[in-house]
Amino acid sequence: MIEFMQKIKQFNLFSAHEQLAFNVLPTGHVVLSYFGKKIGSHSLAYVTKDLKKASYLADTDEIIDFRLEQHPLLFPTFGNPDLRTPAFQCTFKNGSQISDFRYHSYQITHKKKIPGLPTALNQDAETLELELVDKVAHVSAIIMISVFPQYDIFTQSIKIVNHSEQSLKIDRIMSINVDFLSDKYDLLTLSGAWGRENHLERRALAPGFQGVDSKRGASSHGQNPFIALADKDADEQHGNVYSLSLIYSGDFLASAEVAMHQDTRLQIGINPFGFSWQLEAGADFNTPEAILVHSDQGLNKMTHLLHNFYSNCLVNKKFAQQKRPIVLNNWEATYLDFDKQKLIALAQEGKKLGMEMFVLDNGWFGKEKTNSTVKADLDGSVGDWQANTKKIGGSLHDLVAAINKIGLKFGLWFEPEAVSPDSDTYMEHPGWIIRTPDRKPQLIKDRYLLNLGIPEVQDFLIGVFDRFLKDTNVAYIKWDLNRNLTDSGSSALTAVQQTELGHRYVLGLYKILETVTEKYPDVMIESCAGGGGRFDAGMLPYSPQIWTSDDSDAIERLEIQRGTSMIYPCSSMSCHVSTSPNEQVGRRTNLNVRQTVAEQGILGYELDLLALNTKGKHFISHAISKYKKYRQTYQFGSLDRLPVYDPQDEYAWSKQDENHLIVSYVMVLAKPNTVPKRLRLVNLQADAIYEDVQNKQRFTGQELMSIGLVWLCHAQMKTSTHGIGSSIFCPLNSLTAGQIKNRSRTLIS
């Protein structure tokens, strides 16, 4: 619900349990008066009136003791007595960069899609559109703040409208600015690199500017478009957490600035580094949508809110609650060394073990050359996307039919955004790549990047997918990107538009994806960017699951998946059981451990099934059978991270829905001569009874939360809706000292 208290000029946005409140000051500045648990409809103007006078820049607008830089502003701009980092900065034709936006009007509407950008939508969502106007420049800023009542989520995007008769250049525009009147927080980000994405980083706020960003043309392996402030004592179950996320797949900036008055300015939006946008007279510009979340019960509740919101308001509704198939990907089984017979044999073995989708990865395409190696066949072929009939033993249509006959659906790998210099596509259209005309472009992995901002390139790639999805029974696309944006330049843009390239690239990507998903609604796309290089909310409407990391080592995946699943649904994390020793780090890991870690997300397999012994095949067959039986809970159950004795060495999590509870535990390094500690569960019904289906032993939810489970056990439990259930524990095989130990428990109705 959104209300406007006319007399005191206060806007209240209410969700089921949360509230945002803004007040319009007599000067026309709009300030954030409150963000947190719902407190009701009464005047909050005292929040800013009570601010103590402490500033060097006094008397804003010639009003005695009115100090703008002390106020929690909704839309701070450059050139005013608020000298903190602005949310907006532009350059006018006369060279001036000063803008001054004051409140003009408002309207309340149903939530609408942002043109050209992925947008969170729900039939109950309302939007408050606040129009702020710079009367001198004749420019409007429309602040669109939406409330999703049942999800306790707020979002914001901004539209700049140029009503003047001259163009202007947008130099900086954040999607949201949130000012906090304190600096007593920890800063949370998700950081890393290729092969170790999304590690949670937590550090105390310090005076000055801090945060994360990407300058790589994608949201990147190094940082994720997410930032949060948490109470100093906040943990998984307790304390306040305030987070911002961005529904965007390109360069971003997420920052926290602690100013001289011990307040904190939190922002997220398009990275101003290397970006500007020419806004012609009469034109408008929309920012990506930002997500604003408050949890008063620690990080687990933040996770619940974001997972529920993404799954129901952002992910394509066709797949949002659809059970995901168990995939067999041939990459680590064969790499480029395969033929039709090997692929068929793998698929047959996968079918025997219970797998459902065979995905043919890199190596299926390429120019056929006499007496050439497999690698030579691929050289110069990225961008042409023609099946190598010699390599796959006939047409792609025949291979798909053969896999389908076995009883598996078929998926296919593409790298559509790249092109090889020897490809026919590049030879015919050299102006389609990203480059500056006077410099030799960098060749990375034998690839250039196509300029997705060019309409002809968009049409070409849509045509590529038309050709394959119309003519073959392909049910699954793995969409990969294996290089970042370099040589920034476009032959299709004017000199003053060159800094628009990165954003135009992302808009072009979205246009292609939206077109393909609308034309082929039953085809699932799994996004990949060398692993998690573009694991962001902007991709979720088009690719309901994303390859979490190229590092499939189970132990490294623990930290990667812990951070990723903190904000993204488990149903979006593609997680594979791969070979041991692991190809990325060389670690040997028990198959049981690899299975348990992969079950945290969407289970798949990426190892040579033909090389497995009978014991290994039996284990996988049994594990898949169990996963299928409880797939709904594994993929869509509510995730909680559980407190452990040694957080540096142990990982534990649970998933639950109205029918089942699955509890998983991994110890990285075993300890000799120690007594197992107990693993306390969280967020159970205290008076419910949980039953282990194996031996019918029963425990109350309160017991499991207060006493907990003995580590290194596996149990299957059942809970009933009327509070009668039970729990049982039985140990799994113990590993030798120095190896990894892992145990799982399942509560099942």
Side-chain angles (χ1 to χ4, degrees), residues 97-116:
Q97 293 187 307
I98 297 173
S99 56
D100 186 9
F101 289 88
R102 310 290 179 107
Y103 173 75
H104 179 264
S105 63
Y106 82 95
Q107 64 173 330
I108 298 171
T109 68
H110 291 294
K111 184 74 163 63
K112 298 188 288 285
K113 189 178 187 317
I114 304 171

Side-chain angles (χ1 to χ4, degrees), residues 22 35 54 201 272 460 471 499 530 653 673:
F22 301 96
F35 172 43
E201 300 290 338
F460 166 75
D471 296 341
T499 50
W653 63 91
N673 194 27

Side-chain angles (χ1 to χ4, degrees), residues 10-207:
Q10 178 171 308
F11 295 94
N12 293 313
L13 290 81
F14 296 107
S15 66
H17 306 98
E18 298 289 317
Q19 180 176 348
L20 267 175
F22 301 96
N23 283 87
V24 181
L25 301 181
T27 58
H29 295 98
V30 182
V31 295
L32 173 64
S33 299
Y34 180 73
F35 172 43
K37 292 191 68 173
K38 186 186 292 185
I39 57 176
S41 299
H42 59 272
S43 175
L44 298 172
Y46 65 85
V47 172
T48 53
K49 288 181 179 178
D50 288 347
L51 288 173
K52 298 297 181 183
K53 301 176 179 64
S55 175
Y56 181 74
L57 295 174
D59 306 343
T60 302
D61 284 5
E62 300 182 358
I63 300 172
I64 300 300
D65 289 333
F66 177 42
R67 293 164 165 83
L68 192 63
E69 68 177 354
Q70 293 180 222
H71 286 70
L73 298 174
L74 171 65
F75 189 60
T77 61
F78 177 80
N80 293 284
D82 174 15
L83 296 186
R84 295 168 292 181
T85 303
F88 177 79
Q89 185 173 354
C90 69
T91 303
F92 297 102
K93 277 291 187 181
N94 63 3
S96 169
Q97 293 187 307
I98 297 173
S99 56
D100 186 9
F101 289 88
R102 310 290 179 107
Y103 173 75
H104 179 264
S105 63
Y106 82 95
Q107 64 173 330
I108 298 171
T109 68
H110 291 294
K111 184 74 163 63
K112 298 188 288 285
K113 189 178 187 317
I114 304 171
L117 288 163
T119 310
L121 296 169
N122 183 265
Q123 62 181 5
D124 296 327
E126 286 186 301
T127 300
L128 170 64
E129 295 187 358
L130 292 175
E131 184 179 12
L132 312 184
V133 174
D134 185 326
K135 294 181 179 179
V136 173
H138 304 292
V139 178
S140 292
I142 301 174
I143 318 296
M144 295 170 283
I145 311 163
S146 299
V147 55
F148 292 76
Q150 61 181 309
Y151 298 100
D152 280 330
I153 293 280
F154 302 94
T155 68
Q156 181 174 302
S157 63
I158 297 173
K159 179 165 72 173
I160 302 297
V161 185
N162 185 1
H163 298 289
S164 75
E165 297 180 354
Q166 294 185 324
S167 65
L168 63 89
K169 179 166 66 76
I170 298 174
D171 301 304
R172 177 189 182 91
I173 182 163
M174 296 290 102
S175 292
I176 192 170
N177 179 93
V178 185
D179 286 345
F180 296 84
L181 298 177
S182 174
D183 63 347
K184 294 299 183 182
Y185 300 108
D186 284 347
L187 180 69
L188 278 62
T189 59
L190 296 173
S191 304
W194 176 89
R196 49 181 173 84
E197 297 90 339
N198 286 342
H199 286 217
L200 177 65
E201 300 290 338
R202 182 169 183 167
R203 56 196 182 276
L205 279 178

Side-chain angles (χ1 to χ4, degrees), residues 164-420:
S164 75
E165 297 180 354
Q166 294 185 324
S167 65
L168 63 89
K169 179 166 66 76
I170 298 174
D171 301 304
R172 177 189 182 91
I173 182 163
M174 296 290 102
S175 292
I176 192 170
N177 179 93
V178 185
D179 286 345
F180 296 84
L181 298 177
S182 174
D183 63 347
K184 294 299 183 182
Y185 300 108
D186 284 347
L187 180 69
L188 278 62
T189 59
L190 296 173
S191 304
W194 176 89
R196 49 181 173 84
E197 297 90 339
N198 286 342
H199 286 217
L200 177 65
E201 300 290 338
R202 182 169 183 167
R203 56 196 182 276
L205 279 178
F209 194 84
Q210 53 232 276
V212 295
D213 73 347
S214 172
K215 308 179 187 73
R216 307 180 74 90
S219 49
S220 86
H221 302 86
Q223 312 292 349
N224 200 271
F226 160 84
I227 193 168
L229 300 181
D231 288 346
K232 294 286 189 179
D233 58 352
D235 57 21
E236 298 289 4
Q237 291 295 108
H238 310 95
N240 290 293
V241 182
Y242 305 88
S243 75
L244 299 180
S245 301
L246 192 64
I247 306 177
Y248 191 60
S249 306
D251 291 342
F252 74 92
L253 172 66
S255 65
E257 181 183 22
V258 176
M260 65 176 73
H261 300 133
Q262 291 81 54
D263 48 26
T264 306
R265 171 162 285 179
L266 204 62
Q267 296 180 347
I268 197 167
I270 296 173
N271 198 335
F273 180 90
F275 164 85
S276 66
W277 190 272
Q278 288 295 127
L279 192 62
E280 301 300 329
D284 58 54
F285 179 88
N286 287 278
T287 71
E289 190 167 19
I291 302 164
L292 178 60
V293 175
H294 167 246
S295 165
D296 63 339
Q297 298 173 39
L299 293 170
N300 272 332
K301 183 179 177 182
M302 179 193 74
T303 294
H304 298 163
L305 292 171
L306 282 169
H307 284 196
N308 196 27
F309 175 70
Y310 282 147
S311 296
N312 292 287
C313 302
L314 194 61
V315 174
N316 187 316
K317 294 191 182 302
K318 167 73 178 181
F319 297 104
Q321 299 300 325
Q322 185 181 103
K323 293 179 182 177
R324 309 284 198 265
I326 298 172
V327 163
L328 170 61
N329 186 297
N330 76 298
W331 180 244
E332 288 194 22
T334 68
Y335 294 101
L336 299 175
D337 183 19
F338 63 81
D339 55 23
K340 185 174 183 178
Q341 289 69 33
K342 186 178 288 188
L343 297 178
I344 294 297
L346 274 173
Q348 289 172 335
E349 195 63 46
K351 175 62 178 177
K352 290 177 187 177
L353 299 180
M355 298 168 198
E356 299 161 326
M357 174 83 69
F358 183 84
V359 176
L360 178 57
D361 211 284
N362 192 358
W364 59 269
F365 59 95
K367 299 177 181 178
E368 298 178 16
K369 303 171 184 176
T370 305
N371 299 323
S372 65
T373 65
V374 171
K375 180 67 171 66
D377 269 354
L378 295 179
D379 286 345
S381 299
V382 174
D384 288 342
W385 305 115
Q386 296 176 354
N388 187 324
T389 56
K390 182 177 69 174
K391 181 78 179 292
I392 64 175
S395 70
L396 182 64
H397 183 277
D398 290 343
L399 176 61
V400 175
I403 298 295
N404 290 163
K405 187 175 181 180
I406 293 170
L408 299 178
K409 293 183 177 181
F410 187 88
L412 195 60
W413 176 94
F414 285 90
E415 192 177 353
E417 298 165 65
V419 63
S420 297

Side-chain angles (χ1 to χ4, degrees), residues 519-534:
K519 293 178 74 171
Y520 305 99
D522 295 327
V523 176
M524 177 181 287
I525 295 178
E526 175 179 296
S527 175
C528 174
R534 203 158 57 190

Side-chain angles (χ1 to χ4, degrees), residues 563-606:
T564 303
S565 66
M566 184 166 287
I567 58 175
Y568 300 109
C570 293
S571 60
S572 68
M573 292 196 316
S574 186
C575 306
H576 290 180
V577 177
S578 64
T579 189
S580 180
N582 178 262
E583 291 291 337
Q584 289 79 40
V585 301
R587 188 176 356 235
R588 295 183 181 273
T589 308
N590 182 277
L591 183 56
N592 194 19
V593 176
R594 287 177 273 155
Q595 178 74 30
T596 297
V597 174
E599 287 174 347
Q600 189 177 23
I602 303 303
L603 176 64
Y605 293 84
E606 197 160 332

Side-chain angles (χ1 to χ4, degrees), residues 547-681:
W547 182 228
T548 313
S549 175
D550 276 349
D551 190 340
S552 58
D553 172 61
I555 301 310
E556 177 56 38
R557 273 294 189 111
L558 285 167
E559 196 64 32
I560 293 170
Q561 292 174 196
R562 175 176 178 253
T564 303
S565 66
M566 184 166 287
I567 58 175
Y568 300 109
C570 293
S571 60
S572 68
M573 292 196 316
S574 186
C575 306
H576 290 180
V577 177
S578 64
T579 189
S580 180
N582 178 262
E583 291 291 337
Q584 289 79 40
V585 301
R587 188 176 356 235
R588 295 183 181 273
T589 308
N590 182 277
L591 183 56
N592 194 19
V593 176
R594 287 177 273 155
Q595 178 74 30
T596 297
V597 174
E599 287 174 347
Q600 189 177 23
I602 303 303
L603 176 64
Y605 293 84
E606 197 160 332
L607 70 170
D608 189 356
L609 301 179
L610 303 176
L612 282 178
N613 58 28
T614 302
K615 183 179 179 181
K617 292 178 181 179
H618 176 77
F619 176 89
I620 289 177
S621 177
H622 176 76
I624 288 177
S625 178
K626 180 196 73 171
Y627 186 85
K628 286 180 177 178
K629 188 174 182 180
Y630 311 121
R631 177 167 13 200
Q632 183 67 33
T633 310
Y634 273 117
Q635 295 185 351
F636 300 102
S638 179
L639 175 72
D640 283 296
R641 292 167 297 277
L642 303 177
V644 293
Y645 177 76
D646 184 357
Q648 302 301 314
D649 191 41
E650 301 163 80
Y651 295 79
W653 63 91
S654 66
K655 294 181 183 178
Q656 64 174 312
D657 53 24
E658 63 276 11
N659 297 317
H660 311 104
L661 169 64
I662 302 170
V663 183
S664 301
Y665 169 84
V666 176
M667 177 183 285
V668 176
L669 296 175
K671 295 181 177 67
N673 194 27
T674 185
V675 177
K677 305 299 187 290
R678 303 191 75 92
L679 183 67
R680 295 188 182 93
L681 308 189

